[in-house]
Amino acid sequence: MRTKVSVIVPVYNDPNGIQTTLESLLSQEYKGYKIHPIDNDSTDQTRKVIHNIESDHCNLVQSFEEIDIQSSYAARNTGIKHSSGDILLFLDADMWVEEAWIEDMVSALESRDCDYLGCNVKIVPDTDSPTFWERYEQALSFPVESYLEHKHFAPTCALAVRREVFEDVGLFDHNLESGGDKEFGQRVHDAGFKQGYAGDITAYHPARDSLEELRSKARRIGRGRAQMRRHHPEVGDYVHPLHPIRFLPPSPWRLRRRYADTSVSASEMVGFYALEYGLKLTQTASSICETADIHWGE
């Protein structure tokens, strides 16, 4: 008998993204899975898209809503509570996977006797000629193997977790706008569960293609860091936003290691480094505002 699998997909105001994700999940080869899109109180056509797909595929799709708390982690928690799978897979709306993704993730989790498993996340530009911003995303985003090795977490955008892990350590912290995947992953590690990385399994993520999209992400990360300090002071690497380290340029050696497996030219490296520093300062400013309870940006 196949292990029961629940795939949880949180979404907020992204009708095109949720359609892309659900369509890729509907064609999976695995037998014995259910897809749970969780609408986080969207105000556009997202809910309609979900309901249309659900009505056509009621045997595979069962949606839920999280309208009380505006948080992707709250939406994931709603999915966890309403799902019945022994293995829970998490995938973000706007991402897509190949037909064997569920089969491969379950097989990797079980064959390696893991409780928590991350996979490769590939950034995909919109065209064959990626912009500077898309190249930056391709070069720097989602070093999942490094996250697991050094920080003991994998991003929730593409993650597999056994249900008993949640029963033991609890759910995601919905108080965090960003960084909840890291806080949860470290709880999992500290509880002694086995974490793993499947580099031969890939989930695909669209590249952010503008400076404003990157700055929006940086502001969200900054707010998450301030929230982490407030709710989880035991996580020691979240220093105060006014600490001098928050204003220093990023280490060029650390960034070079992150770029090691990419075809980045010297001129691009300089541009990426300058952009990384600018985004770091944006994160710091957002963290300061969140700490002072001042709203800044989206």
Side-chain angles (χ1 to χ4, degrees):
M1 182 176 178
R2 303 304 303 271
T3 304
K4 288 178 62 177
V5 173
S6 297
V7 187
I8 296 170
V9 186
V11 61
Y12 174 70
N13 283 356
D14 191 1
N16 293 331
I18 192 64
Q19 180 152 351
T20 295
T21 304
L22 293 181
E23 287 178 351
S24 78
L25 289 171
L26 287 170
S27 61
Q28 293 294 298
E29 298 170 352
Y30 192 83
K31 305 301 180 183
Y33 74 101
K34 197 87 169 182
I35 308 165
H36 298 296
I38 315 296
D39 181 66
N40 199 193
D41 204 19
S42 294
T43 58
D44 59 7
Q45 295 298 306
T46 296
R47 197 172 303 177
K48 182 178 180 180
V49 170
I50 292 173
H51 288 171
N52 287 343
I53 293 176
E54 183 176 18
S55 64
D56 291 338
H57 302 277
C58 57
N59 60 320
L60 279 179
V61 181
Q62 183 183 20
S63 68
F64 299 101
E65 296 177 359
E66 171 52 62
I67 62 175
D68 295 326
I69 304 172
Q70 188 67 61
S71 159
S72 64
Y73 299 115
R76 293 183 183 99
N77 289 342
T78 295
I80 295 166
K81 293 172 185 176
H82 286 90
S83 63
S84 60
D86 299 307
I87 293 176
L88 304 178
L89 298 181
F90 298 89
L91 193 67
D92 276 3
D94 77 0
M95 295 183 61
W96 63 97
V97 291
E98 296 173 354
E99 293 179 352
W101 185 72
I102 293 179
E103 179 76 47
D104 291 344
M105 289 290 280
V106 173
S107 296
L109 193 78
E110 295 181 335
S111 65
R112 303 176 194 194
D113 196 27
C114 289
D115 305 296
Y116 173 107
L117 182 79
C119 70
N120 177 47
V121 178
K122 183 177 180 180
I123 301 295
V124 181
D126 190 45
T127 69
D128 292 335
S129 300
T131 65
F132 172 80
W133 319 110
E134 290 174 323
R135 287 280 291 166
Y136 169 83
E137 278 263 282
Q138 286 181 300
L140 195 61
S141 294
F142 297 115
V144 182
E145 185 174 18
S146 177
Y147 285 160
L148 280 161
E149 181 179 355
H150 301 292
K151 299 183 178 180
H152 310 301
F153 83 98
T156 44
C157 66
L159 178 67
V161 186
R162 294 186 188 272
R163 180 171 293 277
E164 54 260 37
V165 173
F166 291 102
E167 294 172 348
D168 186 281
V169 307
L171 303 175
F172 296 105
D173 186 349
H174 65 259
N175 294 299
L176 304 176
E177 185 174 351
S178 177
D181 43 9
K182 180 177 180 180
E183 188 277 327
F184 175 75
Q186 292 186 351
R187 260 190 286 145
V188 172
H189 175 265
D190 292 344
F193 288 104
K194 185 177 179 181
Q195 297 179 319
Y197 173 66
D200 55 338
I201 305 173
T202 299
Y204 300 91
H205 191 298
R208 292 172 178 84
D209 60 1
S210 70
L211 176 59
E212 183 50 40
E213 284 190 293
L214 293 171
R215 292 182 70 241
S216 178
K217 175 185 176 182
R219 289 192 291 265
R220 174 170 51 81
I221 291 172
R223 291 192 295 268
R225 284 177 172 168
Q227 294 157 3
M228 186 75 76
R229 286 190 65 255
R230 183 183 308 138
H231 297 288
H232 299 282
E234 73 279 4
V235 180
D237 59 345
Y238 283 91
V239 301
H240 194 280
L242 292 178
H243 191 287
I245 197 173
R246 289 300 183 202
F247 298 91
L248 294 175
S251 165
W253 307 115
R254 179 182 65 83
L255 292 185
R256 188 66 187 90
R257 288 196 300 271
R258 296 275 290 274
Y259 298 139
D261 297 327
T262 62
S263 55
V264 178
S265 67
S267 59
E268 278 185 316
M269 182 72 72
V270 172
F272 291 169
Y273 184 80
L275 176 57
E276 180 75 1
Y277 186 30
L279 294 176
K280 179 180 179 179
L281 294 178
T282 299
Q283 291 173 15
T284 299
S286 185
S287 186
I288 292 170
C289 289
E290 179 71 19
T291 300
D293 197 24
I294 301 171
H295 180 73
W296 178 56
E298 296 297 326

